[in-house]
Amino acid sequence: MRLTLPLAAVASLACIPLAMAQPKVDPGYIAMLAKDAPKAADHALTRRYQGSNLVGQNVKAFDEIALPGGPAEGKTYDSKKRFTKVEALSGKVTRSIHLSPVGRSSLEVFVNYRDELVGKGFAPVFECAREACGESFSVLKYDWQLKETQIRSEGYEQTRNLTLQAMFNGVQDPRYTLMKKAGPEGETWVAVFAALNKGGSFGSFSDLIADRVSVLTEVVEPRSLERRMETVSAAEIGNKLAAEGRAVFYNILFDFDKADLKPESAPQLAEMAGFLRANPQAKVFVIGHTDNKGGLDY
């Protein structure tokens, strides 16, 4: 049986594309992404989803970080958008971004990370997915316009830093969990944020990570601040006062909300007393400042 189509129908069929054109990405960008970031390594607590690449990592021996403990409120472009709750933490902070293979959902990748942590004794503090996280959650969590949210390094090539800026810039199916585990040295916290890259305004770099799940892991391990401030000697105090009109000391310490000097302040206090004894004619003002704990009003 022979079927004959009207000429108009044949013309219509000819206009139907056989396949969507795929964006072309510079092979050099692809080669860069296939390698883990220099001097970066998987954290033992989180590891990585099979076939993923470690795109970037920042490690601070002691730092502070605020991790979302509740959903975001406010529209994406609202200047007053915010997380409804955050956990202000300090310790050793390791922030890493992995990129999953093409064809994996954010749910699958996210659940793998979450189950890994549950298996290691972590318990969820807060968890959300999609709309439950809040419209502005992704922008507040990682955005190229909020430098403090990004992972970047002066030691990375420009293409890697641009790829890291493109992460989470246009995503679908965001998922987040904040978990913690108690230990003999204190609490360890881990946050996992995963989302499928879709769209984005970074051109070739958005094309490079399209249809791949970005995973931001943030690990905060208990660690005391190392006291490394040098003691200023009595002679140095005199020199600084003569040259600059002031001498600054960073190792006179108090506990939060207390006026009692801590024992480790003794060496600097001794040097200050030595200067005053040697210079009885000296008249000085002693001025102190607070730390950043507590509210501004208090």
Side-chain angles (χ1 to χ4, degrees):
M1 178 178 178
R2 184 175 179 180
L3 178 64
T4 303
L5 291 175
L7 187 60
V10 174
S12 298
L13 289 173
C15 294
I16 298 175
L18 297 179
M20 295 297 292
Q22 295 297 318
K24 292 183 179 180
V25 178
D26 189 317
Y29 297 174
I30 298 173
M32 174 276 300
L33 196 60
K35 301 176 183 177
D36 283 352
K39 300 180 180 179
D42 293 338
H43 196 286
L45 291 175
T46 55
R47 301 196 296 168
R48 75 172 72 185
Y49 182 84
Q50 186 176 15
S52 298
N53 299 108
L54 178 50
V55 186
Q57 185 176 73
N58 291 148
V59 182
K60 301 290 185 181
F62 186 88
D63 204 358
E64 59 185 2
I65 187 171
L67 298 178
E73 66 177 12
K75 299 292 184 180
T76 299
Y77 297 104
D78 184 353
S79 61
K80 296 182 180 180
K81 59 183 177 292
R82 68 182 187 92
F83 292 118
T84 55
K85 182 180 180 182
V86 296
E87 296 288 346
L89 308 169
S90 62
K92 180 180 179 181
V93 179
T94 303
R95 304 182 73 231
S96 311
I97 283 190
H98 288 84
L99 195 64
S100 77
V102 174
R104 301 297 179 179
S105 69
S106 58
L107 173 61
E108 178 185 4
V109 176
F110 174 80
V111 168
N112 269 266
Y113 277 90
R114 184 186 61 190
D115 290 352
E116 176 81 7
L117 290 165
V118 170
K120 292 176 178 176
F122 283 81
V125 175
F126 168 70
E127 189 167 307
C128 68
R130 298 179 175 178
E131 294 81 5
C133 294
E135 179 183 317
S136 57
F137 191 96
S138 296
V139 175
L140 289 169
K141 191 72 194 88
Y142 194 95
D143 186 71
W144 69 275
Q145 296 184 87
L146 299 175
K147 302 301 183 186
E148 66 275 12
T149 68
Q150 290 192 347
I151 292 178
R152 301 170 71 181
S153 172
E154 293 181 358
Y156 292 167
E157 61 267 54
Q158 184 181 20
T159 53
R160 185 173 295 277
N161 276 326
L162 287 171
T163 303
L164 287 165
Q165 287 187 54
M167 294 288 179
F168 301 104
N169 179 248
V171 294
Q172 294 180 359
D173 197 19
R175 296 173 182 273
Y176 174 82
T177 187
L178 177 63
M179 312 184 84
K180 71 176 179 178
K181 177 183 178 181
E185 298 180 355
E187 293 178 333
T188 298
W189 296 72
V190 181
V192 179
F193 176 49
L196 179 66
N197 292 291
K198 207 77 172 177
S201 57
F202 278 79
S204 295
F205 296 98
S206 292
D207 294 338
L208 179 65
I209 63 176
D211 298 316
R212 301 178 69 173
V213 177
S214 290
V215 183
L216 170 65
T217 57
E218 296 165 299
V219 182
V220 185
E221 300 171 87
R223 177 171 291 185
S224 299
L225 174 66
E226 295 181 19
R227 300 296 178 183
R228 296 191 171 198
M229 299 310 302
E230 296 181 358
T231 299
V232 182
S233 69
E236 290 174 314
I237 293 173
N239 292 336
K240 287 180 178 294
L241 287 174
E244 305 173 23
R246 64 174 186 164
V248 181
F249 316 107
Y250 293 99
N251 52 352
I252 298 178
L253 308 173
F254 304 82
D255 283 324
F256 175 63
D257 211 18
K258 293 183 180 179
D260 301 323
L261 287 162
K262 300 185 74 171
E264 49 264 50
S265 305
Q268 187 61 76
L269 290 171
E271 294 296 330
M272 293 168 65
F275 166 77
L276 292 172
R277 290 194 191 99
N279 299 272
Q281 78 287 355
K283 295 182 179 180
V284 298
F285 288 103
V286 179
I287 302 169
H289 63 85
T290 68
D291 58 21
N292 60 356
K293 294 182 179 179
L296 180 61
D297 293 342
Y298 175 70

